[in-house]
Amino acid sequence: MTLAANHRLPLNGNNTNTMRIKVTLLFILLSIFQLGQIKAQTIQNTRIHIALFVPLYLDSAFVDQYDTYSYGKNFPKQSIPGLDFYLGAEAALDSLANLGIPITLHVFDIKSKSGNINTIAQTPLMDSIDLIVGPVTGSDFIQLTQLANQKNIPFVSASYPNDGGLKKSPNLIIVNSKLNTHIQSTYNYVARNLIGYKIIYLRRQNPIDDKVSDVIKTLNTTSTGQLLNIKTVQVDELFTIDSLSSNLDSLRNNVIIVGSLDETFGLSMVTNAALIAKNYALTIVGMPTWGNIKDLSKPEFNPLPIIYSASFFNDLSNPWSVGFEEKYRNKSYSKPTDMAYRGYELIWNFTNLLKKYGKKSLLNNLSDKSFKIMSDFDFKPVNWSKTNTFPDYYENKKVIILKRLGGTVSRIN
């Protein structure tokens, strides 16, 4: 990658390290911007072509023909997830190059005019693409799924835990397990490991919480194993400690399952639970969205066992993770986010699978673990109709159960 060193960015401040981070990241953004229409790093004798669709928001960052930066002293926060995913993918390219695997990565900024998915779908380039990868959501996810179907290209949906209501999309690969899969894995963990506890199911009265509750009810009536004795407690947004403690047993272990995806409500519940933790033996079970609640790392929550699910887990003690963070810091002067690890892991895994099986046989070998780094993917075909000749899509059914306790997060399944 060629950095645009001739540009002088208007950054000032007393924190030299912060300035270095901003300058480095801005140079990387500008470099991607100046790559022109779409193409990024190329290795000689290219054979595998991957289209990477990421939200970089370059049009809003550089606003005219002089590449004028529009954020002054600041870095565009909306660009960070896409940029981190791209940097992880780029690092994977370097590793693949060291193995002699020929690959070209074509990068599209879906938040720019030149990254319009419908326009790109009509270009001759897409006829040569072997794999589509994208940390995308909503309409971008739907358009890429349709593009994958049209061109018969496998599409790795890197972060969206949803199928968008789409059926008959046999090229779609959902990496971030859907909500129902997460809830079922969490339910199974509780049923296997917390039998004998008093189980409280806490929820609000609204349609979103209804969806979670419906899945729990279905599981607790159709399970082939022992059913859970669950007491449902409905609360409002401003519930009190008394409304929580009145449902607990001071002589038994208590499990509180929080049946809501709302992160604010989840944090409020944990905050209340922490205030009475000295009087009750509590285990809190949350939703997959709880991995986004940074405040759960506060010291006041350390005594509480907090359990939730995830499709990805970055074990910071893993030697590969430690090495990746060091290399990332050397390049960007910043700590990699989960999106950077995810970008590396997915490009590494699926490029190697393409190399081993080829485009036509990739979908039949998605769960080959030969190229595992940390995540233990388990892709299964999903069929909504028994008459379908092909799967509607493939979903990663491997859900990781995590426990936060004493200031650390560990995997417990």
Side-chain angles (χ1 to χ4, degrees), residues 120-391:
I120 294 169
Q122 308 305 317
T123 62
L125 172 64
M126 295 310 299
D127 294 325
S128 65
I129 295 299
D130 299 297
L131 183 72
I132 297 171
V133 180
V136 298
T137 61
S139 61
D140 295 321
F141 165 83
I142 292 174
Q143 290 177 43
L144 283 181
T145 301
Q146 292 170 341
L147 170 58
N149 288 341
Q150 176 188 349
K151 297 290 186 179
N152 197 28
I153 305 170
F155 164 39
V156 178
S157 176
S159 58
Y160 195 40
N162 205 315
D163 59 18
L166 298 176
K167 305 293 186 293
K168 297 182 180 180
S169 302
N171 289 294
L172 173 60
I173 305 166
I174 298 176
V175 178
N176 195 2
S177 309
K178 295 169 55 183
L179 177 62
N180 286 22
T181 304
H182 277 275
I183 295 176
Q184 181 170 7
S185 296
T186 302
Y187 175 91
N188 291 343
Y189 177 83
V190 173
R192 292 168 184 164
N193 298 279
L194 303 180
I195 290 295
Y197 287 44
K198 182 173 183 179
I199 302 176
I200 305 298
Y201 182 79
L202 202 68
R203 57 155 299 175
R204 303 164 302 170
Q205 182 60 48
N206 62 46
I208 297 178
D209 286 13
D210 285 345
K211 293 181 180 179
V212 178
S213 180
D214 288 345
V215 177
I216 294 289
K217 288 179 181 178
T218 300
L219 290 171
N220 208 36
T221 55
T222 61
S223 176
T224 56
Q226 182 175 350
L227 300 182
L228 300 177
N229 184 14
I230 299 176
K231 179 181 180 180
T232 298
V233 177
Q234 188 171 295
V235 297
D236 58 26
E237 300 287 348
L238 302 176
F239 69 96
T240 64
I241 297 176
D242 290 339
S243 64
L244 183 59
S245 59
S246 62
N247 292 284
L248 301 176
D249 190 335
S250 61
L251 301 179
R252 296 170 60 191
N253 290 317
N254 298 270
V255 175
I256 301 176
I257 301 175
V258 185
S260 176
L261 300 177
D262 188 303
E263 296 169 24
T264 301
F265 176 72
L267 180 60
S268 176
M269 203 293 306
V270 173
T271 301
N272 276 281
L275 295 174
I276 58 174
K278 291 183 179 180
N279 301 321
Y280 299 91
L282 297 178
T283 296
I284 313 299
V285 177
M287 294 287 109
T289 51
W290 284 28
N292 300 323
I293 306 178
K294 295 182 180 179
D295 282 350
L296 290 180
S297 62
K298 289 183 176 180
E300 56 262 38
F301 300 136
N302 284 352
L304 275 177
I306 301 174
I307 294 171
Y308 57 95
S309 62
S311 292
F312 292 86
F313 174 55
N314 179 26
D315 183 357
L316 297 179
S317 65
N318 182 287
W320 177 86
S321 179
V322 173
F324 179 83
E325 179 176 343
E326 181 180 356
K327 292 179 181 178
Y328 188 95
R329 285 183 181 275
N330 290 339
K331 181 171 185 176
S332 67
Y333 303 104
S334 63
K335 183 178 179 179
T337 67
D338 286 344
M339 290 298 284
Y341 290 98
R342 190 173 306 186
Y344 186 105
E345 193 166 19
L346 293 181
I347 293 296
W348 168 265
N349 183 68
F350 283 98
T351 300
N352 275 298
L353 289 177
L354 274 171
K355 174 69 174 177
K356 183 175 181 178
Y357 296 107
K359 182 178 177 181
K360 292 183 179 180
S361 298
L362 173 66
L363 294 172
N364 294 324
N365 295 279
L366 292 175
S367 290
D368 183 334
K369 305 186 190 311
S370 301
F371 310 106
K372 173 184 173 180
I373 297 177
M374 288 192 295
S375 297
D376 190 15
F377 301 124
D378 183 22
F379 292 100
K380 300 293 186 183
V382 176
N383 292 83
W384 287 98
S385 172
K386 294 181 179 179
T387 62
N388 284 355
T389 305
F390 300 100

Side-chain angles (χ1 to χ4, degrees), residues 43-164:
I43 301 170
Q44 292 182 351
N45 300 320
T46 59
R47 186 159 61 86
I48 296 175
H49 290 260
I50 297 177
L52 175 60
F53 291 81
V54 284
L56 294 170
Y57 297 88
L58 295 179
D59 284 354
S60 62
F62 302 100
V63 295
D64 56 30
Q65 67 270 30
Y66 303 108
D67 296 339
T68 303
Y69 182 65
S70 61
Y71 286 91
K73 300 177 182 179
N74 301 313
F75 185 81
K77 292 182 179 180
Q78 69 269 27
S79 298
I80 293 177
L83 178 59
D84 249 16
F85 191 93
Y86 168 78
L87 290 176
E90 186 196 29
L93 288 186
D94 292 339
S95 299
L96 291 164
N98 291 335
L99 296 178
I101 298 179
I103 176 175
T104 299
L105 185 69
H106 305 269
V107 181
F108 302 82
D109 175 15
I110 58 174
K111 298 303 180 182
S112 68
K113 293 179 181 178
S114 63
N116 182 276
I117 295 172
N118 289 330
T119 301
I120 294 169
Q122 308 305 317
T123 62
L125 172 64
M126 295 310 299
D127 294 325
S128 65
I129 295 299
D130 299 297
L131 183 72
I132 297 171
V133 180
V136 298
T137 61
S139 61
D140 295 321
F141 165 83
I142 292 174
Q143 290 177 43
L144 283 181
T145 301
Q146 292 170 341
L147 170 58
N149 288 341
Q150 176 188 349
K151 297 290 186 179
N152 197 28
I153 305 170
F155 164 39
V156 178
S157 176
S159 58
Y160 195 40
N162 205 315
D163 59 18

